[in-house]
Amino acid sequence: MDQSVWTAVDSRATVVTATRRLARTIWQEYSVRQQSRGLVSWQSPDVLPWGAWLSTLWEEFLYSTPSPPVRLTAWQEYVVWEGLIRAHPASDQLLQVGATAAAAQEAWRLAAGWRLDLSAIESIGNDDARVFTVWAASFRLRCQEHDWVDAARVPDILREHLKQLHLPERILLFGF
């Protein structure tokens, strides 16, 4: 394990990892290190995977905002996607609307996560890409109309409200 992790953990910094597996590995290795020092008890390190850290910040945001938006669950997002796709004229050509909705939901998560420009995708993409951009625009609009936030947009909302949140003094992003 990289020495920067142990330095951060020993100084009580929050370590945010790219994956749950990496967070679990750090926890386990930290326990082994503490036991090898002869300790029988110690304070738990603050090690969280990215998604869990965002959820913690989201909870704090909810309690520090007078009327926060509603965060959709993965299932709720799927239902919105499926409804939008079923309402689209091209849906009668689809064999599996449910599978298409799941694929569109994942494509949206990736496109939003990578901050892709949907207008560029629309202008240079094929027919499937263009249909996806129509669905994505509809999804974004539906979320705005109802004050919903999908998982892909949670980091953006939190970034806009960072001053309201109590962030740890030191944070180490590890494994990204």
Side-chain angles (χ1 to χ4, degrees):
M1 190 66 56
D2 190 288
Q3 184 58 38
S4 64
V5 171
W6 304 130
T7 302
V9 168
D10 290 339
S11 70
R12 310 306 310 153
T14 296
V15 178
V16 180
T17 64
T19 64
R20 287 186 303 237
R21 182 178 179 186
L22 182 55
R24 190 172 44 250
T25 299
I26 291 170
W27 268 73
Q28 290 169 341
E29 288 187 23
Y30 184 73
S31 295
V32 169
R33 287 182 76 223
Q34 297 301 78
Q35 289 170 353
S36 70
R37 293 177 176 167
L39 298 174
V40 292
S41 66
W42 52 87
Q43 187 173 355
S44 295
D46 194 13
V47 179
L48 298 165
W50 177 254
W53 190 57
L54 289 179
S55 291
T56 301
L57 292 176
W58 185 261
E59 286 290 319
E60 184 179 338
F61 167 69
L62 287 178
Y63 293 110
S64 65
T65 304
S67 56
V70 174
R71 182 177 176 183
L72 298 176
T73 65
W75 176 250
Q76 289 167 327
E77 285 182 37
Y78 169 81
V79 169
V80 173
W81 278 105
E82 185 178 35
L84 292 171
I85 290 169
R86 285 191 189 284
H88 191 268
S91 68
D92 54 350
Q93 298 173 4
L94 297 173
L95 296 176
Q96 296 182 335
V97 174
T100 303
Q105 181 180 6
E106 177 64 12
W108 170 254
R109 186 189 67 77
L110 291 169
W114 284 96
R115 309 298 188 262
L116 299 181
D117 179 7
L118 293 179
S119 60
I121 293 172
E122 185 176 17
S123 65
I124 61 173
N126 62 15
D127 289 341
D128 291 340
R130 282 190 283 281
V131 169
F132 169 73
T133 61
V134 169
W135 293 339
S138 296
F139 179 78
R140 189 182 311 172
L141 182 61
R142 177 78 48 92
C143 288
Q144 286 173 350
E145 289 171 347
H146 295 282
D147 204 18
W148 295 337
V149 175
D150 60 287
R153 288 191 40 243
V154 166
D156 295 330
I157 301 296
L158 292 173
R159 185 186 69 229
E160 292 169 11
H161 296 88
L162 274 180
K163 292 183 181 180
Q164 294 173 232
L165 304 175
H166 296 41
L167 295 174
E169 218 174 280
R170 292 187 59 223
I171 301 171
L172 173 67
L173 299 176
F174 190 71
F176 290 88

